[in-house]
Amino acid sequence: MLLKVQNLHKIYKSGTHALKGVSFEVEEGEFLVVIGLSGSGKSTLLRCINRLIEPTSGIIEFQGKDITHIKGEELRQSKMQIGMVFQQFNLIKRKSVLSNVINGKLGSLGTFESILEKYSDKVYEEAYKCLDTVGITDKAKIRADSLSGGQQQRVAIARSLMQNPKLLLADEPVASLDPATSNSVMQYFEKINKELGTTVICNLHFLSLVRRYASRVIALRAGEIIYEGAPRDIDENWFKTIYGEEAEEVEIR
Amino acid sequence: MIKEPAMEIHPQNIIEENKKREHKYNLYKAILLDIFFVFYSILVVQRAIYYKFFLDLRELPFSWGEIIILFIISIVIGTSWAISRTSLSCKLFGIAKENKTTKWTVEIFAWFLFDITFIAGWVVTKISIVGLFSTEGLQGAERLFSALFHPQFGIFDDALFAMIETIYIALIATLISIPPTLLISFFTARNLMKENKISFAVYYILRIILNFVRSIEPLIWAIIFSVWVGIGPFAGMIALLVHSIASNAKLYSESIESIEEGPVEAISATGANKVQIVWHAVVPQIVLPFLSFTIYRWDINVRMATIIGLVGGGGIGTMLMQYQGLARWREVGLIVLMIAFVVWVMDYISAKIREAIY
Ligand SMILES: Nc1ncnc2c1ncn2[C@@H]1O[C@H](COP(=O)(O)OP(=O)(O)OP(=O)(O)O)[C@@H](O)[C@H]1O
Ligand SMILES: [Mg+2]
């Protein structure tokens, strides 16, 4: 068991009760996709898992260890093993692709060394390897913000690979990309999941993508899990329960 | 904060409780503000409008006893007004009753406050249209202006030297201000300091100190330092330095506060430590604004350096003061002309550099 979430609650300061007792487990090597309407709590769930925000109550176990309330050095160690990819890429715009990728390694580099930005050859080698995995070694020296959206997201993936993560979280990684690019970016997640054996938890909006890439699906509605199972079992009825009666499925290829 | 995992949490209760607490605090704040409003109105009406305007007294009668009685009256009126939930402050803090009485009292009282403040301002500044257009006054102005428009170029080399001194005072003050400002600005950026109580306390205290320092004009600082280190360029430089640090720390920390949160989150999600997060996610986003603010500060400092010279901060301002004291208006004319020219050039250069940076 890689990750175990038990009765997780999150109440924001504003009073929004975003997660209402969410429980699920993730085995090593899974490609788990979380779906649900906007505001159903998908992002909140991922952010709780790598502790970007503090859960209000419940337990999160990662590799058999309770990480719900760890702090300081311990928290940093656990963050290093969990990569995260965001919808908005969140690269440092003015820096080169290569330094953005190396940023993924900061946790295991010394403070002094990382401030001077004098890295060992091994670090560069690793960075190029990660860039190679997402197929953009040729862009290494270019400023990050001069790349297209799809390329930027690949750099972000390379950055998280630099962490050698046990678990990769992706919060709607293709929501701001066009359909064709979405598919190609999703293929990199698939590749990482299959070839490197990294467990992936990914928030997605399009069911066609879900069916194609997910090994298992969780559906959230108003902060609660209302469906858990194989992607192919999401039929017309489930679809309407998850997305509401009015919803109609759109295809993306 | 560590919560006991075993403890039961009832979300609804937490939300209710938060609401109640906020409501209570807002009422306290409203009471204080209403007391202030009432006290202010009574004082202004009594002193500025009644004594000064109607009775036209030169010396205002003053007694602590009277003030205290007025204050106690204000407390009673203000408190009961706030508790009745119909006052201006209740409206401001969003806890007022929604009815006609509130609407009327709030509207009338707000206008009343504005009007008495305006009248008091008029009385205090002794606005006199007559003085502005008297023959005597106009003649004096004419003499002055004709001298100013015929500048005396005999003192040009002296003035040039003083001008250069002024520019250097401004430059050195700006340069020296950079490192301390940088350091302070990180500690006064809310988004970096809000995490735990100790850092928030540091943030808060530093902010108060900066606000205090900034609220004192460089002119006053120059007077203080010319007593401290003696009249001259050094006093002027320190005065500018102090003010530059306080002002730029605010601008710097505001630009730190307005950075994109996304990259910061992304870097902290990799397990980077605090210093690394600041260096690799915050700093790259703020170099350009910092550079721009610093150049702008130099520009401002040149202007201020001329003013500071008036009270003995050295440079062209001191020279201006001397000739003005001797009523040699043609020399003053030359100096004013030079100041205007330099300020204009600095303004232009700094705007151009800042444009080029972005
Ligand atoms: N920082 C925050 N402060 C207060 N409320 C928040 C915050 N972030 C999210 N929420 C609220 O929590 C609920 C869940 O939001 P969340 O972002 O997790 O949804 P989501 O499923 O990711 O939606 P989307 O598909 O739009 O990204 C929403 O009602 C949202 O308004
Ligand atoms: Mg989201």
Side-chain angles (χ1 to χ4, degrees):
Chain A
M1 187 90 48
L2 184 73
L3 182 76
K4 189 172 171 191
V5 174
Q6 270 179 350
N7 199 19
L8 190 67
H9 281 267
K10 173 65 192 180
I11 304 165
Y12 284 106
K13 281 224 181 71
S14 62
T16 311
H17 198 173
L19 294 178
K20 303 172 184 161
V22 171
S23 307
F24 64 96
E25 292 173 4
V26 185
E27 297 288 345
E28 211 148 316
E30 274 193 276
F31 197 120
L32 177 70
V33 168
V34 183
I35 57 175
L37 276 178
S38 205
S40 57
K42 305 183 297 293
S43 304
T44 307
L45 176 61
L46 290 200
R47 283 155 178 280
C48 281
I49 292 175
N50 76 343
R51 295 278 312 279
L52 277 178
I53 53 177
E54 297 298 308
T56 309
S57 72
I59 299 172
I60 300 166
E61 255 176 48
F62 179 60
Q63 296 183 308
K65 187 176 167 231
D66 185 350
I67 60 163
T68 328
H69 300 295
I70 53 171
K71 281 183 170 183
E73 193 54 28
E74 227 181 339
L75 178 58
R76 256 173 20 84
Q77 292 295 338
S78 106
K79 277 184 175 175
M80 277 161 59
Q81 301 185 45
I82 304 177
M84 182 139 180
V85 174
F86 302 81
Q87 180 183 345
Q88 299 304 333
F89 327 134
N90 290 347
L91 300 177
I92 312 298
K93 295 201 173 79
R94 296 182 50 254
K95 293 280 182 144
S96 71
V97 166
L98 191 62
S99 22
N100 267 290
V101 174
I102 292 176
N103 277 349
K105 192 88 191 165
L106 287 175
S108 42
L109 295 172
T111 305
F112 199 61
E113 153 182 35
S114 69
I115 282 180
L116 295 178
E117 295 182 40
K118 288 259 175 278
Y119 305 115
S120 64
D121 291 345
K122 203 167 139 265
V123 173
Y124 284 111
E125 232 168 75
E126 248 175 276
Y128 272 104
K129 219 177 88 204
C130 294
L131 277 176
D132 191 40
T133 311
V134 294
I136 39 173
T137 21
D138 53 327
K139 308 275 191 218
K141 297 281 154 84
I142 296 180
R143 252 175 78 145
D145 60 355
S146 62
L147 299 182
S148 72
Q151 290 168 332
Q152 290 194 35
Q153 194 59 297
R154 278 147 70 190
V155 175
I157 296 173
R159 172 172 67 188
S160 64
L161 285 184
M162 202 63 186
Q163 291 174 239
N164 267 324
K166 271 266 172 265
L167 173 64
L168 185 55
L169 306 174
D171 191 2
E172 294 181 31
V174 296
S176 41
L177 303 175
D178 63 64
T181 321
S182 293
N183 232 327
S184 90
V185 167
M186 285 311 295
Q187 277 167 9
Y188 287 109
F189 281 107
E190 189 179 38
K191 180 176 166 191
I192 291 161
N193 176 246
K194 294 254 158 72
E195 289 176 14
L196 304 177
T198 310
T199 312
V200 177
I201 303 180
C202 181
N203 292 348
L204 281 180
H205 265 313
F206 285 104
L207 271 186
S208 52
L209 289 178
V210 177
R211 292 211 179 88
R212 181 152 170 202
Y213 295 102
S215 67
R216 194 156 62 94
V217 177
I218 288 178
L220 286 178
R221 195 177 62 189
E224 282 171 298
I225 294 186
I226 54 161
Y227 175 87
E228 186 171 357
R232 61 175 179 282
D233 296 339
I234 305 178
D235 54 13
E236 184 78 1
N237 270 338
W238 270 116
F239 182 77
K240 290 223 186 299
T241 332
I242 297 167
Y243 289 105
E245 284 300 322
E246 304 298 308
E248 228 170 279
E249 194 173 344
V250 282
E251 268 295 308
I252 126 163
R253 284 169 211 285
Chain B
M1 221 186 333
I2 297 182
K3 294 210 177 71
E4 297 296 337
M7 200 173 72
E8 268 303 315
I9 295 199
H10 299 286
Q12 218 48 47
N13 293 355
I14 299 180
I15 298 168
E16 283 296 311
E17 233 165 70
N18 283 352
K19 261 192 200 150
K20 255 189 221 152
R21 195 172 324 134
E22 192 167 326
H23 213 81
K24 209 168 77 188
Y25 282 137
N26 278 345
L27 181 60
Y28 292 151
K29 285 190 235 167
I31 291 176
L32 287 180
L33 195 63
D34 270 328
I35 293 174
F36 168 78
F37 278 152
V38 173
F39 191 48
Y40 171 80
S41 318
I42 294 179
L43 282 185
V44 167
V45 169
Q46 185 214 22
R47 310 194 80 80
I49 296 178
Y50 182 64
Y51 287 164
K52 240 352 210 204
F53 193 64
F54 283 111
L55 301 186
D56 204 12
L57 299 181
R58 277 190 182 275
E59 293 279 315
L60 294 193
F62 181 89
S63 84
W64 277 112
E66 188 189 343
I67 298 277
I68 289 170
I69 291 171
L70 289 180
F71 189 60
I72 291 171
I73 294 174
S74 311
I75 290 179
V76 175
I77 300 179
T79 310
S80 47
W81 203 12
I83 288 177
S84 77
R85 299 287 161 84
T86 54
S87 72
L88 180 57
S89 312
C90 289
K91 189 85 186 168
L92 291 178
F93 287 114
I95 54 169
K97 277 188 198 147
E98 289 299 330
N99 59 23
K100 271 230 165 68
T101 336
T102 315
K103 193 167 169 290
W104 278 100
T105 43
V106 167
E107 225 163 79
I108 292 174
F109 189 61
W111 272 112
F112 174 71
L113 274 181
F114 177 79
D115 289 340
I116 59 169
T117 304
F118 186 79
I119 295 173
W122 186 284
V123 173
V124 169
T125 43
K126 305 192 179 99
I127 290 180
S128 154
I129 307 288
V130 185
L132 200 54
F133 293 106
S134 73
T135 350
E136 223 176 301
L138 283 179
Q139 271 171 1
E142 196 194 330
R143 221 178 324 119
L144 189 68
F145 274 112
S146 80
L148 288 180
F149 284 120
H150 297 90
Q152 165 65 265
F153 280 92
I155 58 156
F156 184 75
D157 42 355
D158 280 351
L160 187 65
F161 186 73
M163 193 75 228
I164 290 172
E165 194 175 89
T166 295
I167 295 176
Y168 272 104
I169 291 173
L171 181 64
I172 290 294
T174 313
L175 285 180
I176 298 180
S177 78
I178 295 174
T181 314
L182 275 179
L183 194 66
I184 294 170
S185 66
F186 284 103
F187 289 100
T188 48
R190 195 187 183 88
N191 51 346
L192 300 183
M193 302 297 283
K194 69 182 175 207
E195 243 155 57
N196 67 55
K197 283 202 176 100
I198 301 170
S199 66
F200 196 73
V202 172
Y203 157 88
Y204 214 79
I205 293 168
L206 270 176
R207 278 253 150 154
I208 291 175
I209 296 174
L210 284 185
N211 280 338
F212 177 74
V213 172
R214 202 174 38 244
S215 66
I216 299 175
E217 286 292 313
L219 199 66
I220 312 284
W221 283 117
I223 293 171
I224 295 172
F225 284 112
S226 59
V227 174
W228 190 338
V229 301
I231 284 183
F234 187 54
M237 197 281 281
I238 299 186
L240 286 180
L241 178 64
V242 169
H243 195 256
S244 296
I245 292 175
S247 306
N248 266 5
K250 184 180 163 70
L251 291 176
Y252 283 15
S253 60
E254 266 166 13
S255 71
I256 295 177
E257 280 167 8
S258 66
I259 59 170
E260 269 184 82
E261 270 299 314
V264 178
E265 241 178 14
I267 301 289
S268 75
T270 68
N273 66 33
K274 193 90 192 174
V275 177
Q276 289 171 325
I277 296 171
V278 169
W279 186 255
H280 288 280
V282 180
V283 171
Q285 295 193 58
I286 53 179
V287 234
L288 290 187
F290 277 26
L291 210 57
S292 161
F293 286 139
T294 308
I295 292 166
Y296 186 47
R297 181 58 50 187
W298 181 31
D299 176 13
I300 293 175
N301 277 349
V302 170
R303 291 163 212 225
M304 286 201 170
T306 60
I307 305 285
I308 279 176
L310 299 180
V311 295
I316 192 90
T318 303
M319 194 167 165
L320 177 68
M321 206 57 200
Q322 284 159 1
Y323 284 105
Q324 181 264 338
L326 300 170
R328 289 171 59 178
W329 299 113
R330 292 188 60 197
E331 280 80 356
V332 170
L334 177 77
I335 294 172
V336 168
L337 203 67
M338 287 178 70
I339 292 176
F341 178 73
V342 168
V343 166
W344 176 70
V345 170
M346 287 295 307
D347 196 47
Y348 182 79
I349 294 176
S350 95
K352 277 286 164 220
I353 297 179
R354 279 181 287 138
E355 253 170 50
I357 285 176
Y358 275 111

